[in-house]
Amino acid sequence: MDKGKKVGLVLGSGSSRGWAHIGAIEALQEENIPIDFIVGCSVGSYIGALYASDGLSNLKDFLLNMDGKKMFSYFDIVVPRSGLLNGTRKVKELFTMHTDAVTFSDLNIPVMMVATDLDTGDKVVLKSGELIKALRATMSFPGLFAPVKIKERWLVDGGLVDPVPVGIARATEADIVIAVDLNSNVVSRKKNHHPSNREEPKKENHPRGEMVKKLSDVYENAESNFKKKMSGFLGTDPTMPDIMETLTNSVGIMQERITRINLAVDPPDILIQPRLGEMKMMDFNHVEHAIEEGYIGVKEKIEDIRMLL
């Protein structure tokens, strides 16, 4: 393996599908494939930052022990002026419970996060300063989360312009670009979600784990509370998609098509597309399935990766 080759890992957007990035990274680590830097978009930025600050295993433990349907409890509901959810306080909790990193300089490897300028539509690359602010910007799903102001620019989710930012990795002069695309409509290899046969990490009791438990307890009833607060926005026809499904599915359709075009123009050296086509963007209760598909996706391409290295 040529140690001189620089490997860039691109982690795309995809909301709940983003847990597949955990499995993808685990597979790369198992095979001793180096990751020299990460370019992330939306949830890909979140996973990338936690990996780069040694917090990924803690996140995985948290997710596998938490009812995914309660994930929305970690965001602040606000008056729907610019977004239904604020999210800053809870995104901070979701990040700091797994790592002590505060700024980009605290990360073990460089991480770049893609956001979108709401006024100009320009792609904005965030790679310095406060991690929480950058994460809020790259994850600011339009209409759902309020935009974030950074250096006089109002920023929203980078998935609006570049859901799988391969071009950023190329511009950083990576010799090999491995990209994980979560927006592919490839159907899952199984309809029923069975537990993975892979050995899970042993759970340990530590202060950060206690914090996770306390937070989970605090938000035990958050799902029902959230639905009550959202009820005023729902229609009377029981078959009509609710506001969440309408927002996420609409943006998901757009991102899938943008991704297809961008990857055709600027393809990565290795493209990983976990089979998560049946998962909706807010299907937070299929964590183990998503992680397993990301893991399998990398394993299927491992020989191709080794040939490039």
Side-chain angles (χ1 to χ4, degrees):
M1 186 180 295
D2 185 354
K3 293 183 179 180
K5 289 192 175 181
K6 192 174 183 180
V7 178
L9 178 62
V10 179
L11 302 178
S13 63
S15 297
S16 64
R17 297 175 187 172
W19 310 140
H21 291 320
I22 298 174
I25 290 174
E26 285 181 340
L28 291 172
Q29 288 180 305
E30 275 189 17
E31 299 290 343
N32 295 315
I33 305 299
I35 301 174
D36 294 298
F37 68 89
I38 291 175
V39 180
C41 181
S42 194
V43 68
S45 298
Y46 176 72
I47 299 297
L50 283 177
Y51 165 74
S53 58
D54 299 323
L56 199 60
S57 61
N58 196 278
L59 170 66
K60 180 180 178 181
D61 182 61
F62 168 72
L63 292 171
L64 292 175
N65 284 281
M66 179 182 180
D67 181 352
K69 292 180 180 180
K70 298 174 192 168
M71 190 57 68
F72 269 125
S73 66
Y74 286 89
F75 302 104
D76 305 323
I77 300 177
V78 296
V79 176
R81 179 184 173 188
S82 54
L84 292 173
L85 307 175
N86 183 313
T88 299
R89 182 166 59 94
K90 298 309 178 187
V91 166
K92 183 176 182 179
E93 287 181 0
L94 275 170
F95 188 72
T96 57
M97 71 169 69
H98 307 302
T99 177
D100 295 319
V102 176
T103 67
F104 280 85
S105 60
D106 294 329
L107 302 177
N108 299 324
I109 60 173
V111 173
M112 286 154 276
M113 304 180 186
V114 176
T116 303
D117 187 314
L118 192 56
D119 293 321
T120 65
D122 292 338
K123 178 165 51 182
V124 178
V125 180
L126 306 170
K127 54 184 178 180
S128 63
E130 299 176 28
L131 284 168
I132 298 302
K133 205 164 187 179
L135 284 168
R136 269 284 289 112
T138 185
M139 297 170 68
S140 190
F141 199 92
L144 185 56
F145 295 101
V148 179
K149 194 173 187 178
I150 297 180
K151 294 182 178 179
E152 304 306 313
R153 307 175 91 173
W154 285 105
L155 305 180
V156 293
D157 198 312
L160 291 180
V161 290
D162 203 353
V164 189
V166 173
I168 304 300
R170 292 286 185 208
T172 315
E173 299 181 350
D175 297 301
I176 299 169
V177 175
I178 301 172
V180 183
D181 166 30
L182 305 177
N183 295 308
S184 169
N185 280 329
V186 181
V187 178
S188 175
R189 47 178 53 77
K190 55 184 175 295
K191 290 184 179 181
N192 296 318
H193 308 303
H194 301 295
S196 170
N197 292 324
R198 293 189 293 124
E199 183 178 350
E200 302 297 342
K202 293 182 179 178
K203 300 173 178 56
E204 300 178 1
N205 293 321
H206 46 72
R208 208 183 292 281
E210 288 300 312
M211 179 183 177
V212 169
K213 183 179 184 301
K214 288 178 182 178
L215 283 171
S216 295
D217 291 341
V218 168
Y219 299 110
E220 184 69 29
N221 299 317
E223 183 186 7
S224 60
N225 291 336
F226 181 79
K227 287 183 177 180
K228 287 179 182 178
K229 291 184 180 183
M230 291 296 296
S231 61
F233 299 101
L234 304 180
T236 56
D237 185 345
T239 64
M240 185 174 72
D242 63 32
I243 190 170
M244 287 299 172
E245 188 174 358
T246 302
L247 279 171
T248 57
N249 286 2
S250 297
V251 174
I253 291 168
M254 177 195 69
Q255 289 186 348
E256 190 273 335
R257 279 149 181 74
I258 292 174
T259 299
R260 195 186 309 170
I261 294 170
N262 288 359
L263 291 179
V265 173
D266 198 358
D269 297 297
I270 299 292
L271 179 61
I272 311 296
Q273 293 179 307
R275 298 185 182 183
L276 299 169
E278 86 293 352
M279 275 186 70
K280 294 180 180 179
M281 294 187 75
M282 294 299 170
D283 257 349
F284 287 108
N285 55 334
H286 296 310
V287 173
E288 191 168 4
H289 170 63
I291 292 174
E292 183 181 18
E293 290 296 338
Y295 178 89
I296 293 172
V298 168
K299 286 290 188 176
E300 289 178 342
K301 295 289 183 74
I302 204 66
E303 291 306 318
D304 294 336
I305 296 172
R306 289 194 180 284
M307 286 183 65
L308 289 174
L309 288 170

